[in-house]
Amino acid sequence: MQQNVEVGQEVSTGPGGSRLGQEYDQIMHTVPPFYKHREEPEQYLATYNQNALSLSFSRTGSGKSVRVACPLIGSSSRGFPTDMAMRIAAEESMQWRDVKGRKDDTLAFGTPDESVASSLIEAIEQEEKNG
């Protein structure tokens, strides 16, 4: 069944029978708004990340570690500056993990650019140190 996702919404699906199913329990799909269409884009993107994390990890039973694949929300064609998207993703994922006590879960951010991936890892490591 195909589901349309509107701007500002996110859905979480199973990985299907593909190779992704060997690695992940959930796949997050998002349609963030355009950066320039928000009065407080950083706060909006932070809230959007929080909602997406809650949705994806809530689809499984408690007590089970979960593996979720997620895009770097807002960093592509929607115009959010990549450094802002990375910082917010790092902050929100670490805060969510710590507040929800989900330290055994896996959240894998997808980005095709190696330099962005390296910077995101650094941002997450820094956020973990600051936390």
Side-chain angles (χ1 to χ4, degrees):
M1 178 172 88
Q2 184 175 352
Q3 182 176 359
N4 291 330
V5 182
E6 300 294 324
V7 172
Q9 292 183 325
E10 57 278 321
V11 296
S12 180
T13 66
S18 68
R19 284 185 17 205
L20 290 174
Q22 297 172 14
E23 299 294 326
Y24 303 105
D25 300 305
Q26 298 291 316
I27 307 295
M28 187 184 307
H29 308 274
T30 64
V31 183
F34 289 98
Y35 174 71
K36 292 183 179 181
H37 294 174
R38 290 280 147 198
E39 289 184 26
E40 296 180 32
E42 288 189 54
Q43 180 57 45
Y44 187 81
L45 190 58
T47 300
Y48 195 83
N49 271 270
Q50 293 164 10
N51 292 343
L53 289 168
S54 292
L55 173 69
S56 292
F57 285 98
S58 69
R59 293 185 55 125
T60 60
S62 62
K64 177 186 178 221
S65 65
V66 181
R67 301 163 303 166
V68 173
C70 172
L72 183 55
I73 298 173
S75 68
S76 188
S77 62
R78 298 298 177 160
F80 283 87
T82 302
D83 61 333
M84 177 192 296
M86 284 188 298
R87 180 178 47 76
I88 291 171
E91 289 170 0
E92 296 306 324
S93 61
M94 291 292 97
Q95 180 178 356
W96 185 87
R97 181 198 71 177
D98 294 343
V99 168
K100 298 293 184 181
R102 305 293 300 244
K103 295 185 189 303
D104 292 331
D105 293 336
T106 301
L107 176 62
F109 288 99
T111 177
D113 185 314
E114 270 188 60
S115 66
V116 171
S118 293
S119 295
L120 179 57
I121 290 167
E122 289 174 14
I124 290 170
E125 289 172 346
Q126 184 62 45
E127 188 61 31
E128 194 166 33
K129 287 179 188 175
N130 294 342

